[in-house]
Every structure is written in C-alpha cells, then in structure tokens.
C-alpha cells in the first residue's frame, strides 16, 4: 500500500527543520492501556468529576483522593511504552527532535528512552511529603494502597504525600516555562495525541512556524497546521520514522 502523502510531508518537514519539538497528550498513551480524559465511554472525566482533582479537594481529604485515583495508579504502574513512544525516542536519538513537551503524567516517554522531556503537568511517578519534603515512588504508594493502608510518608510518617502532578488550581511547574521557551524557539512542532483544549499548554502550538498534528479528534489548530492526521499515533509515528530514514539515504 502506498504511503499516505500526509506521512511523507510530515517526514519532510521534520527532517528539514532546524529545531523541531514535540508536544504530546493523553492520546499517545491510550495504546498502552492508559485512559485519556475526554473519549466517549472511556475518558476519565466520564467516570470522575474534575472538581475532585483540585488542590483544594486534595488538601481537604488526601486519602479520599488516593482511593479514587488508585485504579489509575495501578494501570500507570504496569503500563509499558508503545510504538509511538519508541518512535519519538528514536527521533530524539537521531537528532530530529530537540525536546519533548508532554502533558502526560505516566512517565512512559522516559521509559521508552526519551531524555529531554518536559513534564508540564508533573508526574505520578513520585510523590512528595508535605512534612519532610522527601519523595516516595509510585510503586511504594501502590503497595500501601493495595494493602488497604493510607499512603502515609514512609520516611517520617507524615499523612500528606502529594503526587508530583499539577492539580487544578495549582501553579504550573517550572517545566512549563521551559516548554514555552522551546515553543518560541522551534521552527516545527509535532503535536501527538492532544486535543489542545487544556490551557495554558494548549496555547503553545500558536508559536510554531510549521505545525503537524496527529490526533484522532479535531483540535482548535487544525486549520493552521501543515499536516493533520486523525489516526492513532503508534503506527503513524513508526511510518514517519521509517520515511525519515529513507530521506537520509
């Protein structure tokens, strides 16, 4: 089957860019079994109220927060990178992309081998104790929750270990400022698996000279993009990497 022109164009734009960056959202991790937020029937917000994921809600009752989030934590703990994650790691290794900005909190980009990752919504891989400020790993918190215990700090016994994610109502982490600089610097941005509807990260593509979007659903930036591919990301990214290799030879 002939390669779609959209994939060929994406490969050409990426390979000719001087400074290409990637922005990923939950859609890239659905192929690893992690639910996204807005898909009909499976999205997290169809089962949970976003108001329960505010910093105020967490501070009022952190143990209730963990009881609601524990099923997702178990999925994240066991998830493995899919071909989309691997393809992006390969693009970084080959020097095609300079940095990877992710809205995801699952750590799968790092697990796949990506190095320069900016986690603009933090990560569920660790949690920080409010009292002693020491960090605990996701696996440690999962063991406590699975045993029916509260996720108290294993270092000092403090009862408020907050996941290192950005909850609604919190300031953005330092990685967001770095991501903003990367967006200003880039001459090509590849968006993968993001609806681009969550501010302020969703505004970053406005700075890209050349914008490529791979997402199953539409985004507010589709009309401004040079390439829009509304498919799953794993096979598409694998094909783009293979096409870039052909262009090198």
């Amino acid at each position: 089957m002939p390669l779609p022109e959209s994939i060929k164009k994406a490969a050409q734009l990426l390979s000719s860019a001087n400074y290409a960056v990637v922005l990923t959202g939950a859609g890239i991790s659905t192929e690893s079994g992690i639910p996204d937020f807005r898909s009909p029937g499976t999205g997290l917000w169809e089962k949970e109220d976003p108001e329960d994921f505010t910093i105020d809600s967490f501070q009022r009752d952190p143990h209730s927060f963990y009881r609601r989030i524990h099923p997702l934590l178990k999925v994240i703990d066991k998830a493995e990178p899919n071909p989309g994650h691997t393809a992006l790691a390969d693009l970084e290794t080959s020097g095609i992309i300079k940095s990877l900005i992710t809205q995801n909190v699952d750590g799968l980009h790092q697990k796949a081998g990506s190095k320069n990752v900016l986690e603009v919504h933090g990560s569920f891989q660790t949690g920080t104790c409010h009292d002693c400020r020491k960090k605990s790993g996701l696996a440690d918190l999962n063991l406590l929750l699975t045993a029916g215990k509260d996720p108290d700090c294993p270092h000092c016994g403090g009862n408020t270990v907050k996941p290192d994610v950005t909850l609604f109502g919190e300031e953005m982490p330092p990685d967001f400022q770095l991501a903003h600089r990367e967006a200003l610097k880039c001459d090509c941005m590849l968006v993968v698996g993001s609806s681009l509807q969550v501010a302020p990260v969703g505004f970053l593509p406005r700075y890209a000279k050349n914008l490529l979007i791979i997402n199953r659903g539409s985004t507010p930036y589709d009309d401004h993009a040079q390439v829009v591919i509304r498919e799953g990301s794993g096979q598409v990214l694998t094909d783009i990497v293979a096409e870039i290799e052909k262009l090198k030879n």
Side-chain angles (χ1 to χ4, degrees):
M1 180 182 296
L3 198 64
E5 289 302 316
S6 56
I7 289 179
K8 292 181 180 180
K9 186 173 181 180
Q12 291 168 352
L13 288 169
L14 284 167
S15 61
S16 62
N18 292 317
Y19 202 94
V21 301
V22 178
L23 169 60
T24 68
I28 193 172
S29 292
T30 56
E31 293 178 33
S32 293
I34 299 176
D36 63 11
F37 295 91
R38 292 178 172 80
S39 289
T42 59
L44 184 63
W45 297 151
E46 293 222 344
K47 302 175 183 178
E48 300 285 352
D49 186 348
E51 290 299 319
D52 291 331
F53 293 85
T54 65
I55 185 59
D56 289 340
S57 176
F58 176 83
Q59 291 172 340
R60 280 196 305 271
D61 191 350
H63 296 158
S64 176
F65 172 90
Y66 273 111
R67 285 193 295 273
R68 288 193 302 273
I69 207 69
H70 186 212
L72 178 61
L73 294 182
K74 290 193 291 184
V75 172
I76 290 175
D77 195 25
K78 295 179 180 179
E80 294 294 332
N82 63 59
H85 295 106
T86 302
L88 292 180
D90 290 342
L91 288 175
E92 181 185 13
T93 299
S94 64
I96 296 294
I97 62 174
K98 308 304 181 187
S99 63
L100 192 156
I101 304 162
T102 187
Q103 298 170 279
N104 297 341
V105 294
D106 51 41
L108 290 180
H109 285 302
Q110 293 91 329
K111 203 169 183 178
S114 293
K115 305 296 183 186
N116 191 14
V117 180
L118 300 174
E119 295 177 309
V120 292
H121 290 161
S123 173
F124 265 130
Q125 294 301 307
T126 56
T128 302
C129 176
H130 180 267
D131 297 318
C132 71
R133 308 308 300 172
K134 290 185 179 179
K135 291 186 180 294
S136 301
L138 172 62
D140 295 329
L141 295 176
N142 257 329
L143 285 174
L144 291 171
L145 291 164
T146 300
K149 300 178 181 179
D150 290 329
D152 298 334
C153 178
H155 306 289
C156 74
N159 63 2
T160 308
V161 177
K162 181 191 171 296
D164 291 332
V165 296
T166 304
L167 299 176
F168 294 117
E170 285 192 287
E171 291 185 2
M172 297 296 286
D175 270 9
F176 176 72
Q177 293 302 323
L178 297 175
H180 186 259
R181 293 175 194 169
E182 290 295 280
L184 291 172
K185 188 188 301 185
C186 79
D187 59 353
C188 183
M189 178 179 288
L190 171 63
V191 175
V192 183
S194 176
S195 64
L196 301 176
Q197 294 181 25
V198 178
V201 180
F203 297 137
L204 295 180
R206 69 170 63 176
Y207 304 112
K209 180 181 177 182
N210 291 302
L211 181 60
L212 321 176
I213 298 175
I214 303 169
N215 193 55
R216 289 189 183 276
S218 61
T219 82
Y221 290 90
D222 287 356
D223 290 342
H224 304 283
Q226 280 67 46
V227 175
V228 176
I229 302 174
R230 290 185 181 162
E231 297 180 28
S233 56
Q235 188 60 54
V236 170
L237 287 170
T238 300
D239 290 343
I240 288 173
V241 170
E243 182 65 13
I244 288 174
E245 288 300 315
K246 289 182 183 178
L247 293 174
K248 289 181 181 178
N249 299 327

